[in-house]
């Protein structure tokens, strides 16, 4: 089944908000085996909305629409749907009763403006919105389906869970083909090197797909297959995965929606180990990554952002002579920071990052992008040098990814 996602709103087009709705919807319908054919975002213009619906219906079995269902003058999706389906708005008593009950629980009455949300196209099937005031609407035309939902993420997700996903699951059960995907997560190997390691994809994919999705923390490998059912699709995915693992197993740390920081955190919990950090050029980004996960207090004991040389000396007892003789961005300082932060917090591991994020501060000997990452445990302390690039934000994120990779390997050994 081919699905297109249409998001409506000037705020999306001008970049005022990030279009998280489309990404979430796509991930949900893909898990059911549907094929997301198109993403489209358009503004609050009547002719644009009706024109785009017509275009998407030509190539899609289902269109999922979000946005433009509120009670203000710029919410015109209902009007556009009426125009496209040659329909008219009519008062929907069940929706109005639901609105009255909802507002009564808050000690309020339904205003004339909010009452407009009970004016719905007569040809649609009304989809109850248990989390808000604007109901969803389902239209069918020539065997195809259009479903319109609110743009508020929580409300959209409620209608998807209550109505759309069960309907799609039923449709997919009758479908003659499903799209199946699996993602493998790698760290410690660049995209181009990984591609060279795997070799000619035509030789092992045999009709499937493989996408390389690089990020600051590693490369995701998304394997895809189209088959008559999930059983056959998953068998094909497993065959390709077996080949990839035979070539790149040591770089694969997880799969699916997991990320590197979560994988590291899970290993820390599993091995009952703790970590503390000394961050300079990353300014706390590594600590933020590790504490994104709930329950991180089991393994993350604390960090010190020692940005200045004085902070390194006074807070973590790095000898001033070490900095004077070697520079703040050096193996010696990275090792001292990792060792001393571990002792200060009494943790199993201590990690440090010290570098030149840029855009200034570089020299011929230590150009912008030079970063030293240190790690210490009860047996040893060591540091590794990286030279990234010239962009400050990129250097900081790459440093976090490299540090997590080093910690991951230490935990796996």
């Amino acid at each position: 089944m081919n699905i297109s996602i249409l998001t409506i709103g000037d705020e999306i087009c001008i970049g005022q908000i990030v279009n998280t709705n489309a990404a979430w919807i796509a991930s949900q319908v893909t898990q059911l085996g549907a094929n997301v054919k198109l993403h489209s975002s358009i503004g609050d213009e009547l002719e644009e909305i009706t024109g785009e619906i017509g275009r998407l219906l030509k190539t899609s079995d289902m269109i999922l629409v979000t946005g433009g269902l509120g009670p203000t003058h710029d919410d015109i999706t209902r009007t556009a749907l009426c125009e496209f389906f040659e329909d008219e708005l009519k008062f929907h008593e069940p929706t109005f009763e639901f609105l009255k009950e909802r507002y009564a629980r808050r000690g309020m009455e339904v205003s004339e403006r909010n009452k407009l949300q009970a004016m719905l196209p007569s040809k649609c099937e009304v989809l109850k919105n248990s989390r808000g005031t604007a109901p969803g609407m389902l239209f069918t035309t020539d065997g195809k389906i259009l479903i319109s939902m609110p743009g508020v993420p929580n409300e959209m997700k409620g209608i998807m869970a209550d109505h759309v996903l069960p309907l799609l699951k039923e449709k997919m059960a009758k479908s003659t083909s499903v799209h199946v995907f699996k993602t493998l997560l790698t760290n410690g190997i660049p995209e181009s090197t990984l591609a060279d390691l795997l070799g000619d994809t035509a030789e092992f994919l045999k009709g499937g797909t493989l996408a390389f999705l690089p990020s600051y923390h590693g490369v995701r490998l998304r394997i895809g297959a189209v088959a008559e059912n999930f059983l056959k699709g998953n068998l094909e995915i497993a065959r390709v995965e077996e080949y990839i693992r035979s070539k790149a197993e040591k770089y694969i740390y997880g799969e699916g929606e997991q990320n590197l920081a979560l994988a590291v955190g899970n290993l820390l919990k599993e091995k009952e180990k703790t970590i503390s950090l000394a961050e300079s050029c990353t300014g706390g980004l590594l600590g933020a990554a590790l504490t994104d996960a709930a329950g991180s207090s089991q393994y993350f004991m604390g960090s010190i952002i020692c940005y200045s040389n004085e902070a390194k000396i006074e807070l973590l007892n790095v000898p001033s002579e070490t900095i004077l003789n070697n520079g703040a961005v050096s193996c010696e300082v990275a090792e001292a920071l990792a060792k001393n932060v571990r002792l200060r917090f009494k943790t199993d591991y201590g990690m440090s990052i010290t570098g030149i994020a840029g855009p200034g501060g570089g020299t011929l000997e230590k150009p912008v992008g030079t970063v030293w990452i240190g790690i210490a445990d009860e047996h040893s302390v060591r540091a590794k040098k990286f030279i990234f690039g010239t962009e400050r934000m990129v250097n900081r994120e790459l440093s976090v990814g490299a540090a997590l990779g080093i910690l991951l390997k230490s935990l796996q050994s």
Side-chain angles (χ1 to χ4, degrees), residues 109 186 294 356:
E109 293 185 358
T186 72
I356 305 169

Side-chain angles (χ1 to χ4, degrees), residues 5-302:
I5 300 169
L6 174 60
T7 47
I8 298 172
D10 291 339
E11 67 278 10
I12 296 171
C13 293
I14 66 175
Q16 192 173 34
I17 66 169
V18 177
N19 188 3
T20 58
N21 279 353
W24 188 87
I25 292 171
S27 71
Q28 297 300 303
V29 301
T30 298
Q31 289 176 33
L32 295 180
N35 176 42
V36 178
K37 194 169 184 65
L38 287 167
H39 286 241
S40 179
S41 296
I42 59 176
D44 299 299
E45 295 290 338
L46 190 64
E47 290 185 4
E48 288 186 10
I49 296 172
T50 56
E52 192 65 2
I53 290 172
R55 184 178 78 89
L56 296 177
L57 277 174
K58 291 177 182 177
T59 58
S60 307
D61 302 304
M62 179 183 288
I63 304 177
L64 300 178
V65 185
T66 66
L69 298 184
T72 57
H73 74 282
D74 57 336
D75 293 308
I76 61 171
T77 299
R78 275 185 296 266
T79 303
L81 291 171
C82 279
E83 183 167 313
F84 183 85
F85 290 106
E86 298 180 350
D87 198 0
E88 61 181 349
L89 294 174
K90 288 193 174 181
F91 184 71
H92 190 251
E93 185 68 34
T95 295
F96 182 60
E97 291 301 318
F98 172 75
L99 290 174
K100 287 198 297 184
E101 292 173 10
R102 185 177 180 86
Y103 277 87
R105 287 197 298 269
R106 299 164 60 187
M108 301 169 61
E109 293 185 358
V110 180
S111 67
E112 287 302 312
R113 182 177 296 278
N114 287 116
K115 188 177 179 180
L116 293 174
Q117 293 188 303
M119 297 295 293
L120 300 170
S122 65
K123 295 179 182 178
C124 79
E125 176 186 340
V126 179
L127 306 179
K128 184 178 178 181
N129 178 1
S130 60
R131 303 181 183 184
T133 57
M137 296 169 284
L138 185 152
F139 295 84
T140 57
T141 176
D142 297 325
K144 299 186 175 186
I145 298 171
L146 181 146
I147 299 175
S148 178
M149 299 171 284
V152 180
N154 184 52
E155 296 182 28
M156 174 275 293
K157 291 177 181 179
I159 292 177
M160 284 287 295
D162 295 341
H163 307 286
V164 182
L165 295 179
L167 172 64
L168 182 58
K169 191 172 183 179
E170 179 185 322
K171 296 285 185 184
M172 289 306 302
K174 303 173 184 175
S175 178
T176 57
S177 67
V178 294
H179 288 70
V180 186
F181 297 96
K182 182 171 184 177
T183 302
L184 301 178
L185 311 174
T186 72
N187 175 263
I189 182 170
E191 178 186 13
S192 58
T193 307
L194 181 56
D196 290 340
L197 185 63
L198 296 182
D200 185 0
T201 56
E203 293 184 2
F204 64 88
L205 285 179
K206 304 185 187 308
T209 62
L210 179 64
F212 291 77
L213 308 169
S215 73
Y216 298 127
H217 295 179
V219 181
R220 295 163 62 219
L221 295 173
R222 189 188 67 228
I223 311 166
V226 181
E228 350 180 332
N229 53 53
F230 276 104
L231 176 60
K232 291 185 177 181
N234 285 327
L235 285 173
E236 182 60 17
I237 293 286
R239 182 189 65 77
V240 177
E241 179 183 355
E242 183 179 7
Y243 172 84
I244 292 173
R245 287 187 178 275
S246 73
K247 298 289 186 178
E249 179 68 41
K250 68 177 182 178
Y251 300 107
I252 298 171
Y253 68 85
E255 55 187 54
E257 297 304 311
Q258 189 182 43
N259 60 45
L260 184 55
L262 183 59
V264 169
N266 287 339
L267 266 178
L268 284 165
K269 282 194 289 188
E270 179 185 320
K271 293 179 176 290
E272 297 182 338
K273 300 295 185 181
T274 55
I275 179 79
S276 56
L277 308 173
E279 295 189 62
S280 182
C281 66
T282 47
L285 290 178
L286 179 56
L290 283 170
T291 55
D292 269 346
S296 55
S297 59
Q298 293 179 49
Y299 51 83
F300 185 81
M301 297 297 105

